[in-house]
């Protein structure tokens, strides 16, 4: 295949760009081999690939058929995003941006492979695409691995064992084969740990599980690999985060696969779609990266948490069933519906003369896919890193198919135009290109902010379902008595843990009203990835709630030092949870109560003594109206009309004073905005 570019609409001659050297990693614009030049393993991670960590929390609560429709848009081949890879968090009990995910081993002698929703998500992805690649990566780790230190490398064998049990459990309990495993997301790697992990995987018969490192920057890990033959052999893929489409010399010298193992993280507007379309091409063109993994998979968490709506699509209203198939889904489809892992990039890749880029891939069996993007600087900025200015303008590009490709009679054409609504198209199939009498040559007129896919494959499809229900706010009246004997998921619907882990619990010795409860199950701080609070907290509801009454039964399990709270107008979560403000009503096992304006407890509105002890159920009620709040204990007034002028709105919440066991039951909120 060759590419020629005309300088203007009037066509002042044609200039063919020079070929790269034959041994260049990416190269020649004139290719006559049956499947063209250099091949690297093709995979992509969000348009073929995605990453989930505490961001699909609300998805599991969606009613059918909407939940299955959302999953189809993400994973079903030749339907929507048609993802090739799913990368999930190995839950470690700690805050990882928008919430916490439970570990399969809260404690050393505790194993449970049914906690959280990642198992379910992987199975749903596999159900739709049996060939999807699965990746696991830890963000946080349960505290017992650190033996008192906030560090997972205290005992290398123990941490490797913990990770391997997750892989083995995935297969034993869910028939899931994990293909790749990471080290520690965006944190320090330990050379000896990587070697120990490789040896333990091999010892367990998991030679097929490959290691990705280090999910941070290129420099340190690639330099270490070049200096250590055993480390070089142990690592299969070098993964970097937000590389800005570029790599470094040392990474290329390793000879390993190079992946952008986390990218995107951009608001899923058309600008986010432009970011996605640009880096999907240019991560390979500029940096030889054969997989690009987007964070996050689906914006299925409360929008006011950090990085709200930074998913390929939006599904944050399980109470209404409403969801939105955003433009990044269809930008993904331009690549993922017309390539597969195992395809080869041709040497014919590069930048267009007047801005934009093109790549070409083949399966080596005669199929060809060409993807062209002309994303403008203004409409393709990613959240990070800084994007140097470039210009894109109208141009003509002539493609000449050579060798066996010259015999291709027809190319299917799929088109996306981002930007003005009057000109906007998303993944539209145009008339085919007929090449029988053209000697394999065709010319495209390109404008800015466009995507073209030209392919021999005829299986592309813009999948659709009837429109979902209209958007609705979170119900103003909400109740949950947690009376679930055999829960499908360990967490209660719509509660989003921000520090700590809250799980369904059965009091075997209590045949009465509180047999089934929601319990905070951590009594030790995890090895943190983010700034987890010193208190545990889970949020729920509508961030716009202003006037509300929260009522909940609470049970302190820790004598003397234990404490619990209910709260309203909580204004922060995720990685900002430590600085959350709101109105917090606490009771303690030492016989005291407190009202504070923040989670940390520095802003004290009221305090006093009360008849409270551990191992006994109490009912707390918090009422907030305008600039005043009142509280009741067991339906008797305890404090009234305390001025609370900030914040003006926020979520409801429950939690504990520290990492301690405590239970909650009969949660009830009545709210108005």
């Amino acid at each position: 295949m060759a590419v020629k570019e005309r300088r203007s609409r009037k066509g002042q001659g044609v200039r063919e760009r020079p070929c790269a050297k034959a041994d260049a990693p990416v190269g020649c614009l004139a290719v006559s081999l049956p499947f063209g030049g250099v091949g690297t393993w093709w995979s992509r991670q969000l348009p073929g690939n995605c990453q989930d960590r505490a961001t699909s929390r609300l998805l599991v609560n969606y009613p059918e058929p909407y939940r299955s429709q959302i999953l189809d848009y993400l994973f079903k081949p030749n339907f929507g995003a048609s993802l090739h890879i799913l990368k999930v968090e190995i839950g470690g009990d700690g805050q990882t941006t928008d919430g916490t995910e439970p570990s399969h081993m809260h404690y050393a002698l505790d194993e449970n492979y049914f906690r959280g929703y990642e198992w379910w998500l992987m199975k749903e992805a596999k159900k739709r695409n049996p060939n999807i690649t699965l990746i696991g990566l830890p963000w946080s780790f349960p505290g017992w691995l650190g033996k008192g230190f906030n560090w997972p490398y205290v005992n290398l064998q123990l941490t490797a064992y913990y990770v391997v049990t997750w892989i083995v459990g995935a297969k034993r309990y869910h028939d899931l084969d994990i293909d790749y495993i990471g080290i520690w997301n965006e944190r320090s790697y330990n050379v000896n740990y990587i070697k120990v992990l490789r040896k333990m995987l091999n010892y367990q018969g998991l030679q097929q599980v490959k290691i990705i490192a280090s999910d941070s920057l290129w420099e340190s890990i690639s330099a270490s690999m070049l200096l250590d033959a055993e480390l070089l052999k142990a690592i299969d893929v070098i993964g970097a985060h937000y590389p800005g489409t570029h790599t470094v010399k040392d990474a290329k010298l390793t000879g390993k696969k190079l992946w952008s193992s986390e990218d995107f993280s951009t608001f899923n507007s058309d600008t986010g779609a432009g970011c996605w379309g640009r880096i999907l091409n240019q991560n390979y063109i500029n940096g030889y990266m054969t997989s690009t993994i987007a964070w996050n998979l689906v914006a299925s968490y409360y929008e006011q948490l950090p990085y709200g709506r930074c998913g390929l699509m939006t599904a944050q209203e399980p109470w209404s069933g409403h969801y939105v198939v955003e433009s990044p889904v269809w930008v993904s489809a331009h690549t993922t519906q017309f390539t597969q892992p195992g395809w080869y990039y041709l040497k014919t890749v590069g930048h267009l003369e007047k801005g934009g880029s093109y790549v070409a891939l083949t399966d080596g069996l005669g199929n060809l896919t060409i993807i062209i993007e002309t994303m403008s600087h203004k409409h393709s900025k990613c959240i990070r890193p800084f994007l140097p200015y470039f210009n894109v303008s109208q141009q003509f590009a002539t493609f000449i198919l050579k060798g066996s490709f010259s015999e291709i009679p027809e190319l299917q054409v799929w088109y996306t135009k981002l930007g003005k609504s009057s000109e906007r198209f998303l993944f539209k199939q145009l008339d085919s290109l007929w090449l029988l009498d053209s000697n394999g040559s065709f010319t495209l007129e390109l404008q800015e902010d466009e995507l073209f896919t030209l392919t021999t494959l005829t299986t592309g499809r813009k999948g659709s379902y009837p429109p979902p229900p209209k958007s609705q706010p979170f119900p103003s009246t909400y109740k949950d008595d947690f009376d679930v004997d055999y829960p499908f998921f360990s967490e209660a619907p719509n509660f989003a843990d921000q520090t700590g882990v809250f799980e369904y619990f059965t009091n075997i010795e209590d045949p009465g009203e509180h047999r089934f409860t929601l319990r905070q199950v951590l009594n030790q701080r995890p090895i943190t990835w983010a700034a987890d609070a010193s208190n545990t907290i889970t949020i729920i509801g509508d961030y716009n709630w202003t006037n509300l009454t929260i009522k909940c039964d609470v049970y302190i399990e820790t004598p003397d030092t234990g404490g619990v709270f209910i709260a309203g107008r909580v204004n922060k979560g995720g990685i900002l949870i430590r600085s959350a403000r709101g109105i917090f009503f606490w009771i303690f096992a030492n016989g005291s109560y407190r009202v504070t304006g923040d989670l940390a407890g520095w802003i004290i509105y009221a305090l006093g003594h009360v008849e409270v002890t551990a191992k006994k159920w109490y009912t707390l009620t918090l009422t907030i109206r305008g600039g005043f709040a009142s509280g009741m204990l067991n339906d008797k007034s305890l404090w009234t009309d305390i001025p609370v002028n900030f914040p003006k709105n926020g979520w409801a919440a429950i939690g504990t004073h520290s990492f301690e066991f405590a239970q909650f039951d009969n949660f009830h909120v009545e709210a108005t905005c």
Side-chain angles (χ1 to χ4, degrees), residues 402-453:
K402 294 189 174 183
S404 63
F405 288 152
S406 65
E407 300 175 5
I408 292 174
E410 177 187 4
L411 288 174
Q412 310 293 312
V413 182
W414 291 84
Y415 174 68
T416 287
K417 171 69 173 180
L418 301 173
K420 296 179 182 178
S421 57
S422 59
E423 304 173 353
R424 189 172 183 262
F425 292 99
L426 293 176
F427 200 58
K428 180 180 181 181
Q429 187 169 18
L430 305 182
D431 291 340
S432 298
L433 271 175
W434 291 94
L435 305 173
L436 286 174
D437 301 321
S438 67
N439 295 318
S441 175
F442 60 91
T443 299
L444 296 178
E445 179 181 1
L446 305 174
Q447 309 284 350
E448 66 176 10
D449 297 322
E450 291 182 330
L451 267 169
F452 282 91
T453 297

Side-chain angles (χ1 to χ4, degrees), residues 93 105-108 110 142-144 499-501 519-526 534 536 557-558 561 656 658-662:
D93 295 336
M105 295 180 71
H106 293 317
Y107 310 102
D110 161 68
W144 60 272
T499 295
V501 173
R519 190 189 194 209
Q520 200 295 118
V521 298
L522 301 186
N523 64 1
Q524 184 178 8
R525 186 181 182 84
S534 298
T536 74
E557 294 191 37
T558 306
T561 60
T656 66
S658 63
F659 286 92
E660 59 184 279
F661 299 132

Side-chain angles (χ1 to χ4, degrees), residues 89 297 638:
E89 174 184 349
L297 171 69
L638 186 60

Side-chain angles (χ1 to χ4, degrees), residues 28-89:
C28 195
L29 287 175
V31 178
S32 58
L33 297 175
F35 51 92
V38 63
T40 58
W41 183 52
W42 159 256
S43 84
R44 257 184 224 259
Q45 179 91 20
L46 211 129
N49 319 307
C50 283
Q51 175 173 280
D52 179 73
R53 67 173 190 266
T55 52
S56 299
R57 176 65 194 91
L58 299 176
L59 178 59
V60 298
N61 305 331
Y62 265 79
E64 295 293 355
Y66 311 115
R67 186 171 70 177
S68 289
Q69 292 173 5
I70 295 164
L71 293 165
D72 284 351
Y73 279 117
L74 294 170
F75 299 116
K76 187 177 179 179
N78 301 311
F79 189 85
S82 303
L83 299 173
H84 298 161
I85 297 174
L86 173 61
K87 178 180 177 182
V88 303
E89 174 184 349

Side-chain angles (χ1 to χ4, degrees), residues 143-186:
W144 60 272
L145 286 171
K147 298 187 179 297
F149 296 92
N150 195 48
W151 191 245
Y153 306 130
V154 174
N155 185 321
L156 304 183
Q157 294 281 346
L158 195 60
T159 299
Y161 167 78
Y162 166 80
V163 170
V164 170
T165 60
W166 184 85
I167 298 171
V168 172
K171 181 64 175 177
R172 179 177 299 164
Y173 296 98
H174 303 285
D175 197 27
L176 293 168
D177 292 302
I178 305 301
D179 300 289
Y180 292 87
I181 199 73
I183 306 305
W184 188 15
N185 182 71
E186 295 176 354

Side-chain angles (χ1 to χ4, degrees), residues 19 62 67 108 191 207 227 233 265 276 304 327 338 376 407 422 426 444 486 513 533 541 639:
C19 285
Y62 265 79
R67 186 171 70 177
V191 168
Q207 292 87 350
L227 295 171
K233 184 179 179 181
S265 295
W276 191 225
Q304 295 80 7
S327 48
F338 308 109
S376 65
E407 300 175 5
S422 59
L426 293 176
L444 296 178
Y486 297 102
E513 179 184 2
W639 48 277

Side-chain angles (χ1 to χ4, degrees), residues 190-263:
N190 180 290
V191 168
N192 290 328
Y193 169 72
I194 295 172
K195 296 174 183 177
V196 167
L197 178 60
R198 180 70 270 165
K199 290 175 181 177
M200 191 171 293
L201 288 168
N202 294 345
Y203 180 77
Q204 292 292 330
L206 298 170
Q207 292 87 350
Q208 78 282 3
V209 179
K210 299 176 175 64
I211 291 178
I212 304 175
S214 67
D215 285 299
S216 185
L217 303 176
W218 298 115
E219 288 83 356
S220 180
I221 188 66
S222 55
S224 297
M225 291 168 69
L226 292 174
L227 295 171
D228 188 329
E230 185 181 354
L231 180 66
L232 182 68
K233 184 179 179 181
I235 295 173
D236 298 275
V237 175
I238 302 178
H241 287 193
Y242 308 96
T245 76
H246 294 281
T247 186
V248 298
K249 182 179 179 181
D250 280 354
K252 290 179 279 186
L253 287 174
T254 65
K256 298 292 184 176
K257 296 171 188 174
L258 307 180
W259 288 5
S260 176
S261 54
E262 182 175 320
D263 222 321

Side-chain angles (χ1 to χ4, degrees), residues 445-467:
E445 179 181 1
L446 305 174
Q447 309 284 350
E448 66 176 10
D449 297 322
E450 291 182 330
L451 267 169
F452 282 91
T453 297
L454 302 100
T455 181
T456 55
L457 299 182
T458 59
T459 52
R461 178 188 173 197
K462 187 174 184 180
S464 65
Y465 285 110

